[in-house]
mmCIF file of all heavy atoms in Angstrom:
data_model
loop_
_atom_site.group_PDB
_atom_site.id
_atom_site.type_symbol
_atom_site.label_atom_id
_atom_site.label_comp_id
_atom_site.label_asym_id
_atom_site.label_seq_id
_atom_site.Cartn_x
_atom_site.Cartn_y
_atom_site.Cartn_z
ATOM 1 N N ARG H 17 -3.067 -0.069 8.740
ATOM 2 C CA ARG H 17 -3.755 0.392 9.955
ATOM 3 C C ARG H 17 -4.871 1.365 9.591
ATOM 4 O O ARG H 17 -5.955 1.338 10.169
ATOM 5 C CB ARG H 17 -2.754 1.067 10.897
ATOM 6 C CG ARG H 17 -1.991 0.079 11.736
ATOM 7 C CD ARG H 17 -1.065 0.812 12.698
ATOM 8 N NE ARG H 17 -0.399 -0.130 13.595
ATOM 9 C CZ ARG H 17 0.566 0.209 14.428
ATOM 10 N NH1 ARG H 17 0.986 1.454 14.492
ATOM 11 N NH2 ARG H 17 1.117 -0.709 15.213
ATOM 12 N N ASN H 18 -4.575 2.216 8.624
ATOM 13 C CA ASN H 18 -5.572 3.183 8.173
ATOM 14 C C ASN H 18 -6.730 2.478 7.466
ATOM 15 O O ASN H 18 -7.906 2.788 7.697
ATOM 16 C CB ASN H 18 -4.884 4.179 7.249
ATOM 17 C CG ASN H 18 -5.809 5.288 6.822
ATOM 18 O OD1 ASN H 18 -6.592 5.781 7.611
ATOM 19 N ND2 ASN H 18 -5.734 5.650 5.558
ATOM 20 N N TRP H 19 -6.410 1.512 6.634
ATOM 21 C CA TRP H 19 -7.454 0.778 5.907
ATOM 22 C C TRP H 19 -8.421 0.114 6.893
ATOM 23 O O TRP H 19 -9.632 0.114 6.680
ATOM 24 C CB TRP H 19 -6.832 -0.326 5.051
ATOM 25 C CG TRP H 19 -6.064 0.144 3.857
ATOM 26 C CD1 TRP H 19 -5.681 1.417 3.567
ATOM 27 C CD2 TRP H 19 -5.583 -0.687 2.794
ATOM 28 N NE1 TRP H 19 -4.982 1.423 2.386
ATOM 29 C CE2 TRP H 19 -4.905 0.159 1.896
ATOM 30 C CE3 TRP H 19 -5.651 -2.050 2.527
ATOM 31 C CZ2 TRP H 19 -4.312 -0.323 0.735
ATOM 32 C CZ3 TRP H 19 -5.059 -2.531 1.384
ATOM 33 C CH2 TRP H 19 -4.391 -1.674 0.486
ATOM 34 N N VAL H 20 -7.841 -0.463 7.953
ATOM 35 C CA VAL H 20 -8.673 -1.158 8.940
ATOM 36 C C VAL H 20 -9.603 -0.148 9.608
ATOM 37 O O VAL H 20 -10.809 -0.386 9.741
ATOM 38 C CB VAL H 20 -7.784 -1.886 9.976
ATOM 39 C CG1 VAL H 20 -8.616 -2.412 11.133
ATOM 40 C CG2 VAL H 20 -7.008 -3.028 9.302
ATOM 41 N N ALA H 21 -9.053 1.011 9.989
ATOM 42 C CA ALA H 21 -9.872 2.036 10.663
ATOM 43 C C ALA H 21 -10.984 2.547 9.748
ATOM 44 O O ALA H 21 -12.101 2.809 10.212
ATOM 45 C CB ALA H 21 -8.978 3.198 11.115
ATOM 46 N N LEU H 22 -10.719 2.674 8.470
ATOM 47 C CA LEU H 22 -11.716 3.220 7.536
ATOM 48 C C LEU H 22 -12.952 2.336 7.425
ATOM 49 O O LEU H 22 -14.024 2.805 7.049
ATOM 50 C CB LEU H 22 -11.097 3.411 6.146
ATOM 51 C CG LEU H 22 -10.073 4.542 6.039
ATOM 52 C CD1 LEU H 22 -9.378 4.513 4.683
ATOM 53 C CD2 LEU H 22 -10.745 5.887 6.254
ATOM 54 N N GLN H 23 -12.783 1.069 7.768
ATOM 55 C CA GLN H 23 -13.931 0.154 7.684
ATOM 56 C C GLN H 23 -15.068 0.589 8.595
ATOM 57 O O GLN H 23 -16.222 0.235 8.379
ATOM 58 C CB GLN H 23 -13.530 -1.268 8.093
ATOM 59 C CG GLN H 23 -12.533 -1.921 7.180
ATOM 60 C CD GLN H 23 -12.237 -3.359 7.583
ATOM 61 O OE1 GLN H 23 -12.451 -4.280 6.827
ATOM 62 N NE2 GLN H 23 -11.756 -3.547 8.802
ATOM 63 N N GLU H 24 -14.718 1.355 9.670
ATOM 64 C CA GLU H 24 -15.733 1.801 10.630
ATOM 65 C C GLU H 24 -16.667 2.835 9.995
ATOM 66 O O GLU H 24 -17.824 2.937 10.371
ATOM 67 C CB GLU H 24 -15.081 2.432 11.869
ATOM 68 C CG GLU H 24 -14.123 1.519 12.615
ATOM 69 C CD GLU H 24 -14.817 0.283 13.185
ATOM 70 O OE1 GLU H 24 -16.014 0.378 13.522
ATOM 71 O OE2 GLU H 24 -14.151 -0.771 13.261
ATOM 72 N N THR H 25 -16.144 3.639 9.073
ATOM 73 C CA THR H 25 -16.916 4.774 8.570
ATOM 74 C C THR H 25 -17.329 4.646 7.108
ATOM 75 O O THR H 25 -18.233 5.344 6.672
ATOM 76 C CB THR H 25 -16.093 6.087 8.687
ATOM 77 O OG1 THR H 25 -14.855 5.803 9.307
ATOM 78 C CG2 THR H 25 -16.839 7.132 9.446
ATOM 79 N N TYR H 26 -16.617 3.814 6.347
ATOM 80 C CA TYR H 26 -16.864 3.781 4.902
ATOM 81 C C TYR H 26 -17.186 2.369 4.428
ATOM 82 O O TYR H 26 -16.825 1.389 5.076
ATOM 83 C CB TYR H 26 -15.621 4.261 4.133
ATOM 84 C CG TYR H 26 -15.312 5.719 4.326
ATOM 85 C CD1 TYR H 26 -14.445 6.130 5.330
ATOM 86 C CD2 TYR H 26 -15.891 6.692 3.508
ATOM 87 C CE1 TYR H 26 -14.148 7.467 5.518
ATOM 88 C CE2 TYR H 26 -15.596 8.036 3.684
ATOM 89 C CZ TYR H 26 -14.729 8.420 4.690
ATOM 90 O OH TYR H 26 -14.437 9.741 4.864
ATOM 91 N N ARG H 27 -17.815 2.321 3.272
ATOM 92 C CA ARG H 27 -17.972 1.065 2.548
ATOM 93 C C ARG H 27 -16.700 0.962 1.699
ATOM 94 O O ARG H 27 -16.502 1.734 0.768
ATOM 95 C CB ARG H 27 -19.236 1.201 1.699
ATOM 96 C CG ARG H 27 -19.440 0.200 0.614
ATOM 97 C CD ARG H 27 -20.535 -0.792 1.004
ATOM 98 N NE ARG H 27 -20.626 -1.843 -0.014
ATOM 99 C CZ ARG H 27 -19.715 -2.797 -0.143
ATOM 100 N NH1 ARG H 27 -18.662 -2.838 0.644
ATOM 101 N NH2 ARG H 27 -19.852 -3.711 -1.075
ATOM 102 N N CYS H 28 -15.818 0.022 2.048
ATOM 103 C CA CYS H 28 -14.454 0.032 1.482
ATOM 104 C C CYS H 28 -14.219 -1.059 0.443
ATOM 105 O O CYS H 28 -14.785 -2.155 0.533
ATOM 106 C CB CYS H 28 -13.427 -0.162 2.595
ATOM 107 S SG CYS H 28 -13.455 1.111 3.850
ATOM 108 N N TYR H 29 -13.380 -0.713 -0.511
ATOM 109 C CA TYR H 29 -12.913 -1.665 -1.525
ATOM 110 C C TYR H 29 -11.393 -1.705 -1.476
ATOM 111 O O TYR H 29 -10.754 -0.660 -1.636
ATOM 112 C CB TYR H 29 -13.323 -1.194 -2.927
ATOM 113 C CG TYR H 29 -14.798 -1.201 -3.180
ATOM 114 C CD1 TYR H 29 -15.621 -0.246 -2.597
ATOM 115 C CD2 TYR H 29 -15.372 -2.167 -3.998
ATOM 116 C CE1 TYR H 29 -16.981 -0.255 -2.821
ATOM 117 C CE2 TYR H 29 -16.738 -2.179 -4.232
ATOM 118 C CZ TYR H 29 -17.529 -1.219 -3.635
ATOM 119 O OH TYR H 29 -18.873 -1.229 -3.863
ATOM 120 N N TYR H 30 -10.832 -2.877 -1.276
ATOM 121 C CA TYR H 30 -9.377 -3.021 -1.284
ATOM 122 C C TYR H 30 -9.017 -4.113 -2.271
ATOM 123 O O TYR H 30 -9.629 -5.180 -2.265
ATOM 124 C CB TYR H 30 -8.867 -3.391 0.114
ATOM 125 C CG TYR H 30 -9.164 -2.326 1.150
ATOM 126 C CD1 TYR H 30 -10.013 -2.588 2.222
ATOM 127 C CD2 TYR H 30 -8.605 -1.058 1.044
ATOM 128 C CE1 TYR H 30 -10.292 -1.601 3.167
ATOM 129 C CE2 TYR H 30 -8.878 -0.073 1.973
ATOM 130 C CZ TYR H 30 -9.719 -0.352 3.043
ATOM 131 O OH TYR H 30 -9.997 0.624 3.967
#
Side-chain angles (χ1 to χ4, degrees):
R17 278 183 175 172
N18 185 40
W19 289 11
V20 170
L22 290 172
Q23 295 184 120
E24 302 297 329
T25 357
Y26 292 92
R27 165 106 186 73
C28 299
Y29 293 73
Y30 298 116

